Amino acid sequence: IRKGTPWQQARFAAYAQGSWGNGGAMRAHVAALWVAAGDAAACTALARAQAAVTHAHPLAQDGAALIAAAARSALALNAINFDAISWWHSVIRDADLQETQSWQPRLAQALAWLQAGATPTPDEVAATLGNGISALDSCVTALYVAARFVPQDFASLIDFVQRMGGDTDTIAAMAGGIYGAARGLAALPCSAIAPLQDAKLLHSLAWQLAERLSSPSAHASQCSCPRASGSALACWPPTA
């Protein structure tokens, strides 16, 4: 791309069919925030479009649509009375997966666990749903982990993903983004957020996205952070 190759061509340079990795899905949550007031089709279309720049394979773009649909649906959740089954069905419907046959076995197993109230171990989840770098081997895993841990504390989610092994950072990012959309800022531990790399930048971007979801005055009432001063993390946790 730096040499002038159009991205539409460059994305096939390493893999003839395009990358099927989970990088496009890992960043797909933002699509849900960007079009939160729009419909589900707009959300998944944006998720697919941003993934397509680097991940041309249909499975990678399906994964991005799945995570974006999950984050969008999570924004409207009542975490206290969370109905994982209803949420799961709405996410799969909204994602409108193109490679359905490839996804179905993992989706069916994850749903069966949720319906039965089962609590498979991290090793069992990794062995059955996957813990790899491909979208197919990680996106359903992240979706299941989010569905299982939304009613619990954030540390439990992170601990579970760490014990699964494999591509832990990406799976935690996908599941954690869905968790954050469902639970909000107050559910995230300040001690884990404050040391993050580029925390000030992340904080600034979070403000901008939050203001797309609510009026500036409404958002300001949830936070005592003096945004104009550039304070990085004064609003973790929020005062309200």
Side-chain angles (χ1 to χ4, degrees), residues 100-161:
T100 308
Q101 290 186 341
S102 296
W103 294 99
Q104 188 55 38
R106 289 172 171 82
L107 290 171
Q109 178 59 73
L111 178 59
W113 281 336
L114 294 173
Q115 289 174 326
T119 55
T121 67
D123 286 344
E124 290 171 333
V125 173
T128 306
L129 302 184
N131 63 350
I133 63 172
S134 74
L136 189 61
D137 282 335
S138 58
C139 290
V140 176
T141 307
L143 190 65
Y144 168 74
V145 170
R148 177 168 164 179
F149 286 95
V150 158
Q152 303 181 40
D153 64 275
F154 187 69
S156 297
L157 182 153
I158 296 299
D159 176 69
F160 189 90
V161 174

Short mmCIF file of all heavy atoms in Angstrom, two decimals, residues 100-161:
data_model
loop_
_atom_site.label_atom_id
_atom_site.label_comp_id
_atom_site.label_asym_id
_atom_site.label_seq_id
_atom_site.Cartn_x
_atom_site.Cartn_y
_atom_site.Cartn_z
N THR A 100 -22.89 -19.70 6.40
CA THR A 100 -23.67 -20.28 7.49
C THR A 100 -23.22 -21.69 7.87
O THR A 100 -23.11 -22.02 9.05
CB THR A 100 -25.16 -20.31 7.12
OG1 THR A 100 -25.56 -19.01 6.70
CG2 THR A 100 -26.00 -20.76 8.31
N GLN A 101 -22.96 -22.52 6.88
CA GLN A 101 -22.60 -23.91 7.17
C GLN A 101 -21.30 -24.00 7.97
O GLN A 101 -21.15 -24.89 8.81
CB GLN A 101 -22.48 -24.70 5.87
CG GLN A 101 -23.80 -24.94 5.18
CD GLN A 101 -23.67 -25.84 3.96
OE1 GLN A 101 -22.57 -26.00 3.42
NE2 GLN A 101 -24.77 -26.43 3.52
N SER A 102 -20.38 -23.10 7.73
CA SER A 102 -19.12 -23.12 8.46
C SER A 102 -19.31 -22.74 9.92
O SER A 102 -18.65 -23.29 10.82
CB SER A 102 -18.12 -22.15 7.81
OG SER A 102 -17.80 -22.56 6.50
N TRP A 103 -20.21 -21.82 10.17
CA TRP A 103 -20.42 -21.31 11.53
C TRP A 103 -21.35 -22.18 12.36
O TRP A 103 -21.26 -22.21 13.60
CB TRP A 103 -21.01 -19.90 11.47
CG TRP A 103 -20.09 -18.88 10.90
CD1 TRP A 103 -20.09 -18.40 9.62
CD2 TRP A 103 -19.02 -18.22 11.57
NE1 TRP A 103 -19.09 -17.48 9.45
CE2 TRP A 103 -18.42 -17.34 10.64
CE3 TRP A 103 -18.51 -18.27 12.87
CZ2 TRP A 103 -17.34 -16.52 10.96
CZ3 TRP A 103 -17.43 -17.46 13.20
CH2 TRP A 103 -16.86 -16.60 12.26
N GLN A 104 -22.27 -22.89 11.71
CA GLN A 104 -23.37 -23.53 12.42
C GLN A 104 -22.96 -24.49 13.54
O GLN A 104 -23.54 -24.45 14.64
CB GLN A 104 -24.28 -24.25 11.42
CG GLN A 104 -25.57 -24.81 12.03
CD GLN A 104 -26.37 -23.75 12.76
OE1 GLN A 104 -26.45 -22.60 12.32
NE2 GLN A 104 -26.97 -24.11 13.89
N PRO A 105 -21.98 -25.38 13.35
CA PRO A 105 -21.65 -26.31 14.44
C PRO A 105 -21.22 -25.60 15.72
O PRO A 105 -21.65 -25.98 16.82
CB PRO A 105 -20.49 -27.13 13.85
CG PRO A 105 -20.69 -27.06 12.37
CD PRO A 105 -21.21 -25.68 12.12
N ARG A 106 -20.41 -24.58 15.61
CA ARG A 106 -19.96 -23.85 16.79
C ARG A 106 -21.11 -23.05 17.42
O ARG A 106 -21.27 -23.03 18.64
CB ARG A 106 -18.81 -22.92 16.43
CG ARG A 106 -17.49 -23.63 16.12
CD ARG A 106 -16.46 -22.64 15.58
NE ARG A 106 -15.12 -23.21 15.48
CZ ARG A 106 -14.71 -23.95 14.45
NH1 ARG A 106 -15.55 -24.22 13.46
NH2 ARG A 106 -13.47 -24.43 14.42
N LEU A 107 -21.90 -22.41 16.59
CA LEU A 107 -23.04 -21.64 17.10
C LEU A 107 -24.02 -22.55 17.83
O LEU A 107 -24.54 -22.19 18.90
CB LEU A 107 -23.74 -20.91 15.96
CG LEU A 107 -22.97 -19.76 15.32
CD1 LEU A 107 -23.70 -19.28 14.06
CD2 LEU A 107 -22.81 -18.60 16.30
N ALA A 108 -24.27 -23.72 17.26
CA ALA A 108 -25.22 -24.65 17.87
C ALA A 108 -24.72 -25.16 19.22
O ALA A 108 -25.49 -25.26 20.18
CB ALA A 108 -25.47 -25.83 16.92
N GLN A 109 -23.43 -25.45 19.32
CA GLN A 109 -22.88 -25.95 20.57
C GLN A 109 -22.91 -24.87 21.65
O GLN A 109 -23.28 -25.14 22.81
CB GLN A 109 -21.44 -26.42 20.36
CG GLN A 109 -20.77 -26.92 21.63
CD GLN A 109 -21.51 -28.07 22.27
OE1 GLN A 109 -21.47 -29.19 21.76
NE2 GLN A 109 -22.18 -27.84 23.39
N ALA A 110 -22.52 -23.66 21.29
CA ALA A 110 -22.53 -22.57 22.27
C ALA A 110 -23.95 -22.30 22.77
O ALA A 110 -24.18 -22.12 23.97
CB ALA A 110 -21.94 -21.31 21.65
N LEU A 111 -24.91 -22.29 21.86
CA LEU A 111 -26.29 -22.07 22.26
C LEU A 111 -26.79 -23.20 23.16
O LEU A 111 -27.50 -22.96 24.14
CB LEU A 111 -27.18 -21.96 21.01
CG LEU A 111 -28.68 -21.76 21.28
CD1 LEU A 111 -28.94 -20.50 22.10
CD2 LEU A 111 -29.44 -21.71 19.95
N ALA A 112 -26.40 -24.43 22.84
CA ALA A 112 -26.81 -25.58 23.67
C ALA A 112 -26.29 -25.42 25.09
O ALA A 112 -27.00 -25.72 26.06
CB ALA A 112 -26.31 -26.88 23.05
N TRP A 113 -25.05 -24.97 25.24
CA TRP A 113 -24.50 -24.73 26.58
C TRP A 113 -25.31 -23.68 27.33
O TRP A 113 -25.64 -23.85 28.50
CB TRP A 113 -23.06 -24.27 26.47
CG TRP A 113 -22.07 -25.36 26.22
CD1 TRP A 113 -22.21 -26.70 26.52
CD2 TRP A 113 -20.77 -25.22 25.63
NE1 TRP A 113 -21.10 -27.39 26.14
CE2 TRP A 113 -20.18 -26.52 25.60
CE3 TRP A 113 -20.06 -24.14 25.11
CZ2 TRP A 113 -18.91 -26.74 25.08
CZ3 TRP A 113 -18.79 -24.36 24.60
CH2 TRP A 113 -18.22 -25.65 24.58
N LEU A 114 -25.65 -22.59 26.64
CA LEU A 114 -26.40 -21.52 27.29
C LEU A 114 -27.81 -21.99 27.68
O LEU A 114 -28.30 -21.69 28.77
CB LEU A 114 -26.50 -20.31 26.35
CG LEU A 114 -25.18 -19.59 26.04
CD1 LEU A 114 -25.41 -18.53 24.97
CD2 LEU A 114 -24.61 -18.96 27.31
N GLN A 115 -28.43 -22.73 26.80
CA GLN A 115 -29.79 -23.22 27.08
C GLN A 115 -29.81 -24.19 28.25
O GLN A 115 -30.77 -24.21 29.02
CB GLN A 115 -30.37 -23.87 25.83
CG GLN A 115 -30.70 -22.88 24.72
CD GLN A 115 -31.14 -23.57 23.44
OE1 GLN A 115 -30.65 -24.65 23.10
NE2 GLN A 115 -32.04 -22.94 22.71
N ALA A 116 -28.75 -24.97 28.38
CA ALA A 116 -28.68 -25.97 29.45
C ALA A 116 -28.14 -25.39 30.75
O ALA A 116 -28.15 -26.08 31.78
CB ALA A 116 -27.80 -27.14 29.01
N GLY A 117 -27.68 -24.15 30.70
CA GLY A 117 -27.06 -23.58 31.89
C GLY A 117 -25.75 -24.26 32.23
O GLY A 117 -25.31 -24.25 33.38
N ALA A 118 -25.11 -24.84 31.23
CA ALA A 118 -23.86 -25.56 31.44
C ALA A 118 -22.71 -24.58 31.68
O ALA A 118 -22.77 -23.42 31.25
CB ALA A 118 -23.54 -26.43 30.23
N THR A 119 -21.68 -25.06 32.33
CA THR A 119 -20.50 -24.23 32.59
C THR A 119 -19.24 -24.99 32.17
O THR A 119 -18.45 -25.43 33.01
CB THR A 119 -20.41 -23.85 34.08
OG1 THR A 119 -20.43 -25.05 34.87
CG2 THR A 119 -21.55 -22.95 34.48
N PRO A 120 -19.04 -25.17 30.87
CA PRO A 120 -17.85 -25.88 30.41
C PRO A 120 -16.58 -25.15 30.85
O PRO A 120 -16.57 -23.93 31.02
CB PRO A 120 -18.00 -25.86 28.88
CG PRO A 120 -18.90 -24.70 28.61
CD PRO A 120 -19.85 -24.65 29.75
N THR A 121 -15.53 -25.91 31.04
CA THR A 121 -14.26 -25.35 31.48
C THR A 121 -13.61 -24.57 30.33
O THR A 121 -13.98 -24.74 29.15
CB THR A 121 -13.31 -26.46 31.91
OG1 THR A 121 -12.96 -27.25 30.75
CG2 THR A 121 -13.94 -27.35 32.97
N PRO A 122 -12.63 -23.74 30.65
CA PRO A 122 -11.90 -23.06 29.59
C PRO A 122 -11.31 -24.01 28.56
O PRO A 122 -11.36 -23.73 27.35
CB PRO A 122 -10.81 -22.30 30.35
CG PRO A 122 -11.40 -22.04 31.69
CD PRO A 122 -12.22 -23.26 31.99
N ASP A 123 -10.78 -25.14 29.01
CA ASP A 123 -10.22 -26.12 28.07
C ASP A 123 -11.30 -26.69 27.16
O ASP A 123 -11.06 -26.91 25.95
CB ASP A 123 -9.54 -27.25 28.83
CG ASP A 123 -8.21 -26.84 29.45
OD1 ASP A 123 -7.67 -25.78 29.04
OD2 ASP A 123 -7.73 -27.55 30.35
N GLU A 124 -12.47 -26.95 27.71
CA GLU A 124 -13.57 -27.49 26.89
C GLU A 124 -14.05 -26.48 25.87
O GLU A 124 -14.34 -26.83 24.71
CB GLU A 124 -14.72 -27.91 27.81
CG GLU A 124 -14.41 -29.14 28.65
CD GLU A 124 -15.48 -29.42 29.69
OE1 GLU A 124 -16.17 -28.46 30.13
OE2 GLU A 124 -15.63 -30.60 30.08
N VAL A 125 -14.14 -25.22 26.27
CA VAL A 125 -14.57 -24.18 25.33
C VAL A 125 -13.55 -24.03 24.21
O VAL A 125 -13.90 -23.96 23.03
CB VAL A 125 -14.77 -22.84 26.06
CG1 VAL A 125 -15.04 -21.72 25.05
CG2 VAL A 125 -15.93 -22.94 27.04
N ALA A 126 -12.27 -24.01 24.58
CA ALA A 126 -11.22 -23.87 23.58
C ALA A 126 -11.22 -25.04 22.61
O ALA A 126 -11.06 -24.87 21.39
CB ALA A 126 -9.86 -23.75 24.26
N ALA A 127 -11.40 -26.25 23.12
CA ALA A 127 -11.37 -27.44 22.27
C ALA A 127 -12.58 -27.53 21.35
O ALA A 127 -12.48 -28.06 20.24
CB ALA A 127 -11.29 -28.69 23.15
N THR A 128 -13.72 -27.02 21.80
CA THR A 128 -14.96 -27.16 21.04
C THR A 128 -15.24 -25.97 20.13
O THR A 128 -15.60 -26.15 18.96
CB THR A 128 -16.14 -27.33 22.01
OG1 THR A 128 -15.87 -28.41 22.90
CG2 THR A 128 -17.43 -27.62 21.25
N LEU A 129 -15.07 -24.76 20.64
CA LEU A 129 -15.37 -23.57 19.86
C LEU A 129 -14.14 -22.98 19.19
O LEU A 129 -14.24 -22.29 18.18
CB LEU A 129 -16.02 -22.50 20.75
CG LEU A 129 -17.32 -22.90 21.47
CD1 LEU A 129 -17.87 -21.70 22.23
CD2 LEU A 129 -18.34 -23.46 20.49
N GLY A 130 -12.97 -23.24 19.78
CA GLY A 130 -11.73 -22.74 19.21
C GLY A 130 -11.12 -21.61 20.03
O GLY A 130 -11.79 -20.94 20.80
N ASN A 131 -9.81 -21.45 19.88
CA ASN A 131 -9.11 -20.34 20.53
C ASN A 131 -7.97 -19.84 19.64
O ASN A 131 -6.96 -19.35 20.11
CB ASN A 131 -8.55 -20.76 21.90
CG ASN A 131 -7.51 -21.87 21.79
OD1 ASN A 131 -7.31 -22.46 20.72
ND2 ASN A 131 -6.82 -22.15 22.89
N GLY A 132 -8.17 -19.99 18.33
CA GLY A 132 -7.12 -19.66 17.38
C GLY A 132 -7.22 -18.26 16.81
O GLY A 132 -8.05 -17.44 17.24
N ILE A 133 -6.40 -17.98 15.80
CA ILE A 133 -6.32 -16.64 15.22
C ILE A 133 -7.30 -16.42 14.08
O ILE A 133 -7.48 -15.29 13.63
CB ILE A 133 -4.90 -16.35 14.71
CG1 ILE A 133 -4.52 -17.31 13.58
CG2 ILE A 133 -3.89 -16.43 15.85
CD1 ILE A 133 -3.20 -16.97 12.90
N SER A 134 -7.94 -17.47 13.61
CA SER A 134 -8.93 -17.29 12.54
C SER A 134 -10.24 -16.79 13.13
O SER A 134 -10.55 -17.02 14.30
CB SER A 134 -9.16 -18.61 11.79
OG SER A 134 -9.93 -19.51 12.57
N ALA A 135 -11.01 -16.13 12.31
CA ALA A 135 -12.32 -15.66 12.76
C ALA A 135 -13.19 -16.83 13.18
O ALA A 135 -13.89 -16.78 14.20
CB ALA A 135 -13.00 -14.85 11.66
N LEU A 136 -13.13 -17.91 12.41
CA LEU A 136 -13.96 -19.08 12.70
C LEU A 136 -13.59 -19.70 14.04
O LEU A 136 -14.45 -20.22 14.75
CB LEU A 136 -13.83 -20.10 11.58
CG LEU A 136 -14.77 -21.29 11.61
CD1 LEU A 136 -16.23 -20.85 11.52
CD2 LEU A 136 -14.44 -22.25 10.46
N ASP A 137 -12.32 -19.66 14.38
CA ASP A 137 -11.85 -20.30 15.61
C ASP A 137 -11.84 -19.37 16.82
O ASP A 137 -11.27 -19.71 17.85
CB ASP A 137 -10.43 -20.84 15.41
CG ASP A 137 -10.41 -22.15 14.66
OD1 ASP A 137 -11.42 -22.87 14.69
OD2 ASP A 137 -9.38 -22.44 14.01
N SER A 138 -12.45 -18.20 16.70
CA SER A 138 -12.40 -17.27 17.83
C SER A 138 -13.66 -16.43 18.04
O SER A 138 -13.96 -16.06 19.18
CB SER A 138 -11.20 -16.33 17.67
OG SER A 138 -11.27 -15.62 16.44
N CYS A 139 -14.39 -16.11 16.99
CA CYS A 139 -15.51 -15.17 17.14
C CYS A 139 -16.68 -15.77 17.91
O CYS A 139 -17.28 -15.10 18.76
CB CYS A 139 -15.96 -14.67 15.77
SG CYS A 139 -14.77 -13.55 15.00
N VAL A 140 -17.02 -17.02 17.62
CA VAL A 140 -18.10 -17.66 18.39
C VAL A 140 -17.65 -17.85 19.84
O VAL A 140 -18.46 -17.69 20.77
CB VAL A 140 -18.50 -19.00 17.76
CG1 VAL A 140 -19.56 -19.70 18.61
CG2 VAL A 140 -19.03 -18.79 16.35
N THR A 141 -16.38 -18.14 20.01
CA THR A 141 -15.83 -18.27 21.37
C THR A 141 -16.03 -16.98 22.14
O THR A 141 -16.50 -16.99 23.29
CB THR A 141 -14.33 -18.60 21.30
OG1 THR A 141 -14.14 -19.74 20.46
CG2 THR A 141 -13.78 -18.88 22.69
N ALA A 142 -15.68 -15.86 21.53
CA ALA A 142 -15.83 -14.56 22.19
C ALA A 142 -17.30 -14.27 22.47
O ALA A 142 -17.65 -13.73 23.54
CB ALA A 142 -15.23 -13.47 21.31
N LEU A 143 -18.15 -14.61 21.53
CA LEU A 143 -19.58 -14.37 21.71
C LEU A 143 -20.12 -15.19 22.89
O LEU A 143 -20.88 -14.68 23.72
CB LEU A 143 -20.32 -14.75 20.42
CG LEU A 143 -21.79 -14.35 20.32
CD1 LEU A 143 -21.93 -12.83 20.31
CD2 LEU A 143 -22.41 -14.94 19.06
N TYR A 144 -19.71 -16.45 22.97
CA TYR A 144 -20.15 -17.29 24.07
C TYR A 144 -19.64 -16.78 25.41
O TYR A 144 -20.39 -16.72 26.40
CB TYR A 144 -19.68 -18.74 23.86
CG TYR A 144 -19.86 -19.58 25.11
CD1 TYR A 144 -21.13 -20.00 25.49
CD2 TYR A 144 -18.78 -19.89 25.93
CE1 TYR A 144 -21.32 -20.73 26.65
CE2 TYR A 144 -18.96 -20.62 27.09
CZ TYR A 144 -20.23 -21.03 27.45
OH TYR A 144 -20.41 -21.74 28.62
N VAL A 145 -18.37 -16.42 25.46
CA VAL A 145 -17.80 -15.92 26.71
C VAL A 145 -18.53 -14.66 27.17
O VAL A 145 -18.85 -14.50 28.35
CB VAL A 145 -16.29 -15.65 26.54
CG1 VAL A 145 -15.73 -14.91 27.75
CG2 VAL A 145 -15.54 -16.96 26.34
N ALA A 146 -18.82 -13.78 26.23
CA ALA A 146 -19.56 -12.57 26.58
C ALA A 146 -20.95 -12.92 27.12
O ALA A 146 -21.38 -12.40 28.15
CB ALA A 146 -19.68 -11.66 25.37
N ALA A 147 -21.65 -13.81 26.43
CA ALA A 147 -22.99 -14.19 26.86
C ALA A 147 -22.98 -14.81 28.25
O ALA A 147 -23.87 -14.58 29.06
CB ALA A 147 -23.60 -15.18 25.85
N ARG A 148 -21.96 -15.57 28.54
CA ARG A 148 -21.86 -16.25 29.83
C ARG A 148 -21.48 -15.30 30.96
O ARG A 148 -21.96 -15.46 32.10
CB ARG A 148 -20.84 -17.38 29.71
CG ARG A 148 -20.58 -18.13 31.02
CD ARG A 148 -19.78 -19.39 30.75
NE ARG A 148 -19.19 -19.95 31.95
CZ ARG A 148 -18.46 -21.07 31.98
NH1 ARG A 148 -18.26 -21.74 30.85
NH2 ARG A 148 -17.95 -21.52 33.12
N PHE A 149 -20.64 -14.32 30.67
CA PHE A 149 -20.06 -13.52 31.75
C PHE A 149 -20.63 -12.11 31.88
O PHE A 149 -20.25 -11.40 32.82
CB PHE A 149 -18.54 -13.45 31.60
CG PHE A 149 -17.86 -14.73 31.99
CD1 PHE A 149 -17.54 -15.68 31.03
CD2 PHE A 149 -17.56 -15.00 33.32
CE1 PHE A 149 -16.93 -16.87 31.38
CE2 PHE A 149 -16.95 -16.19 33.69
CZ PHE A 149 -16.63 -17.12 32.71
N VAL A 150 -21.53 -11.69 31.00
CA VAL A 150 -22.13 -10.36 31.15
C VAL A 150 -22.72 -10.13 32.54
O VAL A 150 -22.54 -9.04 33.11
CB VAL A 150 -23.19 -10.10 30.05
CG1 VAL A 150 -24.17 -9.02 30.47
CG2 VAL A 150 -22.51 -9.69 28.76
N PRO A 151 -23.39 -11.10 33.15
CA PRO A 151 -23.93 -10.85 34.49
C PRO A 151 -22.88 -10.87 35.60
O PRO A 151 -23.19 -10.59 36.75
CB PRO A 151 -24.93 -12.01 34.68
CG PRO A 151 -25.14 -12.60 33.33
CD PRO A 151 -23.85 -12.39 32.61
N GLN A 152 -21.65 -11.24 35.28
CA GLN A 152 -20.59 -11.38 36.29
C GLN A 152 -19.61 -10.21 36.21
O GLN A 152 -19.77 -9.29 35.41
CB GLN A 152 -19.88 -12.71 36.11
CG GLN A 152 -20.81 -13.93 36.17
CD GLN A 152 -20.08 -15.23 36.02
OE1 GLN A 152 -18.98 -15.41 36.55
NE2 GLN A 152 -20.67 -16.17 35.27
N ASP A 153 -18.59 -10.24 37.04
CA ASP A 153 -17.61 -9.16 37.02
C ASP A 153 -16.63 -9.35 35.88
O ASP A 153 -16.38 -10.47 35.41
CB ASP A 153 -16.87 -9.06 38.36
CG ASP A 153 -16.05 -10.31 38.65
OD1 ASP A 153 -16.61 -11.28 39.19
OD2 ASP A 153 -14.85 -10.31 38.33
N PHE A 154 -16.04 -8.24 35.46
CA PHE A 154 -15.16 -8.23 34.30
C PHE A 154 -13.93 -9.11 34.50
O PHE A 154 -13.46 -9.77 33.57
CB PHE A 154 -14.75 -6.79 34.00
CG PHE A 154 -13.97 -6.64 32.72
CD1 PHE A 154 -14.57 -6.83 31.50
CD2 PHE A 154 -12.63 -6.28 32.75
CE1 PHE A 154 -13.85 -6.68 30.31
CE2 PHE A 154 -11.90 -6.13 31.58
CZ PHE A 154 -12.52 -6.32 30.36
N ALA A 155 -13.41 -9.13 35.71
CA ALA A 155 -12.21 -9.92 35.99
C ALA A 155 -12.45 -11.41 35.73
O ALA A 155 -11.53 -12.13 35.30
CB ALA A 155 -11.76 -9.70 37.43
N SER A 156 -13.67 -11.87 35.98
CA SER A 156 -13.98 -13.27 35.74
C SER A 156 -13.91 -13.60 34.26
O SER A 156 -13.44 -14.68 33.86
CB SER A 156 -15.38 -13.61 36.28
OG SER A 156 -15.43 -13.44 37.68
N LEU A 157 -14.39 -12.69 33.43
CA LEU A 157 -14.31 -12.88 31.98
C LEU A 157 -12.86 -12.97 31.53
O LEU A 157 -12.49 -13.89 30.78
CB LEU A 157 -15.02 -11.73 31.28
CG LEU A 157 -15.11 -11.76 29.74
CD1 LEU A 157 -16.33 -11.00 29.25
CD2 LEU A 157 -13.86 -11.17 29.08
N ILE A 158 -12.04 -12.04 31.98
CA ILE A 158 -10.64 -12.02 31.56
C ILE A 158 -9.91 -13.27 32.04
O ILE A 158 -9.12 -13.88 31.30
CB ILE A 158 -9.94 -10.76 32.09
CG1 ILE A 158 -10.57 -9.51 31.48
CG2 ILE A 158 -8.44 -10.80 31.81
CD1 ILE A 158 -10.46 -9.44 29.97
N ASP A 159 -10.18 -13.68 33.26
CA ASP A 159 -9.53 -14.88 33.81
C ASP A 159 -9.89 -16.11 32.99
O ASP A 159 -9.04 -16.94 32.70
CB ASP A 159 -9.94 -15.06 35.27
CG ASP A 159 -9.37 -16.34 35.87
OD1 ASP A 159 -8.14 -16.41 36.05
OD2 ASP A 159 -10.16 -17.28 36.13
N PHE A 160 -11.16 -16.22 32.61
CA PHE A 160 -11.61 -17.38 31.84
C PHE A 160 -10.90 -17.43 30.49
O PHE A 160 -10.41 -18.49 30.07
CB PHE A 160 -13.12 -17.30 31.63
CG PHE A 160 -13.73 -18.54 31.04
CD1 PHE A 160 -14.18 -19.56 31.86
CD2 PHE A 160 -13.87 -18.68 29.67
CE1 PHE A 160 -14.75 -20.71 31.32
CE2 PHE A 160 -14.42 -19.83 29.12
CZ PHE A 160 -14.87 -20.85 29.95
N VAL A 161 -10.81 -16.29 29.81
CA VAL A 161 -10.15 -16.25 28.50
C VAL A 161 -8.67 -16.58 28.64
O VAL A 161 -8.11 -17.33 27.82
CB VAL A 161 -10.35 -14.89 27.83
CG1 VAL A 161 -9.54 -14.80 26.54
CG2 VAL A 161 -11.83 -14.64 27.53
#
